Amino acid sequence: MEIGSVLAERYRIDQQLSAAAQGVLWRAADLLAGESPVALRELRDPAAQERFRAIWPAMQAVLHPQIPRFGGLLEEEGALWLVREWQEGQSLSQIQRQRSERQLVFGPGEVLLLLRQLLPPLAVLHGRDLVHGDLNPGNLLRRDQDGLPVLLDFGLLQQAGLRPLTGATAGYAPRAQGRGEAAAAWMDLHGLGVTALSLLSGRPPEQLLGPDGAAASAWRIPESLNLEPPYRAVLERLLSERPGERFEQAREALQALQAVVMPESTGPQALSERTVVLAPAAPVSAPVPDPTPALPSLAMVPDASAQSQPGDQAVSVRSRPSAEERQRAAEGRLWPVVGALLVSAVLGTAIGWFLLSRGRSPDGAPSTDRDLVGRAPSASLPPAEVDQRQQLLSRLRALQVDRSWFLQLVDASLLARFPERNGRLPTDSLEDAPLRRVWNELAEEWLARVEQLPPDLRARLGQLKGADWQKQREALTKQGVNPRVVEQLVSASAQNLLPGVVSGSKPPEPYLQLWYAAAMRGLGDVRIEKLTARPGAPTVLSSRVPSGGARLIAIQVPAGRRLVLGINGTPLMQMTVYGADGEVVAARGPLRVVTLTPEAGSPVQVLVTNEGVSSGLLTLSCRADRPAPTPLPEVDPNPIPDPATGATGAVDGMADPPGPKPAGAAKPPEAPLAPPPAAGAAQGDGGVTN
């Protein structure tokens, strides 16, 4: 395959990534999806093609955000092509090499976090009876988008219970896999354990494996790693191949890791055996004579205050100050400088508080009590991050969103995504840069949702209460709107701002503020129309539904009549039909034609919501028809037996009863007559011939 060629009139080949026994891996561009990148694996081996055809449906059924989605199978130019979602990032082996150059390794907290993040996707994969077969740092990617680890390279994927394929990375696969024992989930867990040990120590597996690799004790866990006993015990079980000691399933390992206390740091740390470059020692040479002339040796220095005795020779000696005296003199000169600095600091603090108090936001304005991500601005952050923070703050001020509430919202989202941090927010350190990037992405997502709200609701976020939306609910109920219809309105509006919230439930704070706002918007945007269905002639209604809005049509139906209802609109409109008792008689779905029986009652309430980004025209037609006629009972093809003859089944297949036939009835065919006897034959018993 040449670079630039197009496969199946859709995928343009851009780059060859690798070539191995399990096929050639290519990077391609999907021309039908805006040239988004995809990964293609080319298989020409017939056995490999047959294997992937068998397991591809199971691979397509694997759904997890840390496992790439698998597309279709293509057969082109005598090869089978496997389409897989592309993931952008760096493999753990690449990160390990980069850190090794700086004499850094993965810290215990970082590896513990990786294990907790990788075990859930492995559990999903094993739940489909699939075994990866080649877990190692080269097949684990740290995704640029969110910093999460992703499983890659499924060339050795095999169904559990079958013989594993050869070609796994040396040192990471267990010896049982090399012996050809049946593929099992614990083999992937073993590879994950070896990966963790290699990342922690910065050494390849061959330098950590003892002479007997079948036992956990054969793996040499360096004492310099300084792991807590529960942490070390879990790692030893991951490395073990012995039944009863090893983990059989990913959920068992994850449960054991939950009991391990997360270290304070979740970033890299210095290599324990790092080489420290010292300054070269000065060569030893002959002593250099002191150029200062020698002073006479004096037993004592005469006190200047003493009087000279007669006959004594006055000796004037100028001695050098001692080291202690020089230090005192230096300290004496430093104290004025220290005092000046202290005075400047006090004055600067006072001026700063004065300016902050003058520039404080008035009551009701967005709060500015702390910086993004819960920390004060730091000069150590990259300029790009500082600019991103300032832009986010400017958008919050422009939207009049309470800053304190918004920060709590993003912080809660981050901690919910990473529960293993136990409530610790990311710092401004280099090791928390991936977490800060995730925080910024979450902030952008939440801000995009908040922008959907009208300005009056945005300004009240953080101060909304349950009584605010209950007023609108009571007003609609007084107009005859069924409470279940109100619940549907609130749920539909809440799903736009809070995806994943269960219908009929309320999330906790700070998400509850968005739920209140969504409920108030959903109930405030509804417009009620009233119609009467007429017999024989349709009643037509046309109305424009704004983006995110709803229309509620109450239709009066004559007693004993069925309602024929037809609705047309945009593809992004949804409809739900409720009976007079509030029960759903036509489930929520696209606009369509429905027929309701008289049991639906009157009035029938039709709720139409517009989930598009622009307004759309709605056309409704209704007619009251007579109820459908009662169908005749079905004919039993096997009636009860005839009491006279005991025969059963269809009448045509029954025999005629004995006795005379009625006039005109067809006679049954008579039996053929016997042929006359031949001439000369004996007449009767004992006859005598002449």
Side-chain angles (χ1 to χ4, degrees):
M1 181 63 65
E2 297 181 357
I3 302 297
S5 56
V6 179
L7 186 68
E9 299 182 354
R10 178 173 182 177
Y11 301 105
R12 185 188 66 230
I13 304 298
D14 290 343
Q15 180 185 2
Q16 179 177 340
L17 301 177
S18 64
Q22 57 266 29
V24 183
L25 188 63
W26 302 85
R27 173 175 174 148
D30 189 350
L31 302 180
L32 299 184
E35 298 191 1
S36 59
V38 296
L40 299 178
R41 183 176 294 277
E42 178 186 4
L43 297 176
R44 294 192 175 273
D45 179 52
Q49 293 182 4
E50 182 180 358
R51 178 172 62 90
F52 273 100
R53 285 193 183 97
I55 65 176
W56 197 253
M59 295 173 66
Q60 289 180 315
V62 175
L63 298 176
H64 194 276
Q66 292 170 243
I67 299 178
R69 291 192 297 267
F70 300 96
L73 293 177
L74 305 175
E75 295 192 27
E76 293 284 338
E77 301 183 359
L80 183 67
W81 298 80
L82 316 179
V83 184
R84 173 176 63 78
E85 181 186 23
W86 179 263
Q87 298 288 333
E88 197 70 41
Q90 279 187 310
S91 66
L92 296 187
S93 60
Q94 292 175 323
I95 300 176
Q96 189 178 25
R97 285 194 299 268
Q98 294 172 0
R99 293 184 179 180
S100 177
E101 296 174 356
R102 296 182 291 166
Q103 299 191 19
L104 296 175
V105 293
F106 285 74
E110 188 176 14
V111 173
L112 178 59
L113 182 60
L114 282 172
L115 292 175
R116 290 180 178 179
Q117 293 172 338
L118 284 169
L119 286 171
L122 275 179
V124 173
L125 188 69
H126 297 160
R128 296 288 179 179
D129 290 332
L130 298 175
V131 179
H132 186 279
D134 194 17
L135 275 185
N136 62 81
N139 291 338
L140 298 174
L141 181 90
R142 174 169 285 175
R143 189 161 50 196
D144 289 342
Q145 179 182 359
D146 51 16
L148 292 175
V150 180
L151 298 179
L152 289 183
D153 199 344
F154 295 84
L156 297 183
L157 190 72
Q158 183 61 290
Q159 288 182 328
L162 300 182
R163 183 182 179 88
L165 303 176
T166 59
T169 305
Y172 291 93
R175 292 187 175 183
Q177 184 173 342
R179 293 193 298 265
E181 297 184 12
W186 72 266
M187 296 181 177
D188 284 345
L189 301 180
H190 176 87
L192 188 61
V194 179
T195 298
L197 183 59
S198 176
L199 296 177
L200 285 168
S201 62
R203 305 178 189 176
E206 54 269 18
Q207 297 183 12
L208 300 167
L209 185 63
D212 184 12
S217 58
W219 290 92
R220 295 191 295 268
I221 302 179
E223 295 295 335
S224 58
L225 296 183
N226 194 22
L227 301 178
E228 295 292 333
Y231 197 165
R232 180 181 291 268
V234 174
L235 186 57
E236 289 176 350
R237 291 189 62 185
L238 287 172
L239 296 170
S240 176
E241 295 190 37
R242 294 177 180 174
E245 290 184 2
R246 68 196 183 199
F247 292 111
E248 298 293 342
Q249 299 294 334
R251 63 176 180 272
E252 300 175 5
L254 183 60
Q255 184 177 1
L257 284 174
Q258 296 297 339
V260 179
V261 178
M262 176 65 67
E264 185 67 24
S265 174
T266 57
Q269 68 178 21
L271 184 65
S272 58
E273 300 89 356
R274 66 183 305 174
T275 304
V276 180
V277 180
L278 301 177
V284 179
S285 58
V288 179
D290 189 357
T292 306
L295 296 177
S297 179
L298 302 178
M300 59 177 298
V301 177
D303 191 354
S305 61
Q307 280 186 339
S308 298
Q309 299 296 328
D312 291 341
Q313 184 180 4
V315 180
S316 176
V317 179
R318 187 178 180 182
S319 60
R320 295 181 181 178
S322 63
E324 184 178 355
E325 293 172 347
R326 291 195 301 268
Q327 184 175 358
R328 283 200 209 100
E331 291 177 355
R333 291 191 298 268
L334 283 176
W335 278 114
V337 179
V338 174
L341 292 176
L342 289 175
V343 172
S344 301
V346 173
L347 291 176
T349 304
I351 294 173
W353 279 109
F354 174 74
L355 294 177
L356 286 176
S357 62
R358 289 177 59 87
R360 186 170 299 166
S361 300
D363 294 338
S367 173
T368 57
D369 54 350
R370 65 186 181 95
D371 186 37
L372 297 180
V373 204
R375 294 169 302 279
S378 174
S380 62
L381 287 177
E385 286 195 47
V386 176
D387 293 341
Q388 190 173 13
R389 290 187 180 188
Q390 295 300 328
Q391 293 175 5
L392 184 58
L393 291 175
S394 300
R395 291 176 64 188
L396 286 175
R397 286 192 293 267
L399 295 174
Q400 297 182 349
V401 178
D402 184 270
R403 177 177 172 181
S404 178
W405 168 82
F406 186 80
L407 296 181
Q408 294 176 12
L409 176 68
V410 183
D411 290 346
S413 302
L414 181 73
L415 296 179
R417 178 175 293 190
F418 300 99
E420 61 276 0
R421 292 189 62 84
N422 298 323
R424 291 184 291 109
L425 294 173
T427 63
D428 288 343
S429 61
L430 179 61
E431 63 187 35
D432 283 348
L435 288 174
R436 292 198 304 272
R437 183 164 57 249
V438 176
W439 193 99
N440 292 330
E441 293 173 356
L442 289 173
E444 292 291 338
E445 294 177 6
W446 283 118
L447 199 55
R449 296 174 186 174
V450 170
E451 286 178 337
Q452 302 175 17
L453 296 172
D456 57 332
L457 286 178
R458 288 200 303 258
R460 298 175 61 186
L461 288 174
Q463 304 172 1
L464 294 175
K465 299 178 182 179
D468 296 330
W469 78 280
Q470 290 289 351
K471 296 178 181 178
Q472 294 177 315
R473 178 180 183 179
E474 294 173 359
L476 289 177
T477 305
K478 291 180 180 179
Q479 298 181 44
V481 180
N482 194 282
R484 297 194 179 185
V485 179
V486 176
E487 180 181 346
Q488 174 66 27
L489 283 168
V490 173
S491 299
S493 183
Q495 283 293 327
N496 294 332
L497 288 181
L498 297 168
V501 174
V502 180
S503 177
S505 63
K506 298 178 184 178
E509 291 284 5
Y511 309 100
L512 185 58
Q513 292 293 311
L514 285 176
W515 192 93
Y516 286 151
M520 296 173 66
R521 183 188 66 173
L523 299 182
D525 290 343
V526 65
R527 180 179 169 186
I528 302 177
E529 306 278 358
K530 295 184 179 181
L531 294 178
T532 300
R534 296 174 298 178
T539 302
V540 181
L541 169 70
S542 296
S543 178
R544 182 164 294 277
V545 185
S547 174
R551 288 290 180 270
L552 181 62
I553 302 101
I555 305 176
Q556 294 288 340
V557 184
R561 294 273 180 166
R562 59 176 179 168
L563 179 65
V564 180
L565 185 65
I567 307 178
N568 293 322
T570 65
L572 294 179
M573 289 185 180
Q574 299 283 315
M575 62 176 283
T576 310
V577 184
Y578 300 86
D581 55 357
E583 294 292 336
V584 177
V585 293
R588 187 172 186 268
L591 305 184
R592 58 197 185 274
V593 177
V594 295
T595 301
L596 306 181
T597 62
E599 287 73 19
S602 178
V604 172
Q605 297 184 358
V606 182
L607 177 63
V608 179
T609 57
N610 182 13
E611 300 178 0
V613 296
S614 61
S615 62
L617 183 62
L618 163 71
T619 302
L620 180 145
S621 175
C622 61
R623 186 182 68 243
D625 286 356
R626 297 178 181 274
T630 304
L632 296 176
E634 297 182 359
V635 178
D636 187 1
N638 298 312
I640 60 177
D642 188 351
T645 62
T648 59
V651 177
D652 296 340
M654 298 175 60
D656 292 335
K661 304 292 187 298
K667 296 182 178 180
E670 298 181 355
L673 298 176
Q683 301 291 327
D685 294 338
V688 179
T689 59
N690 293 329

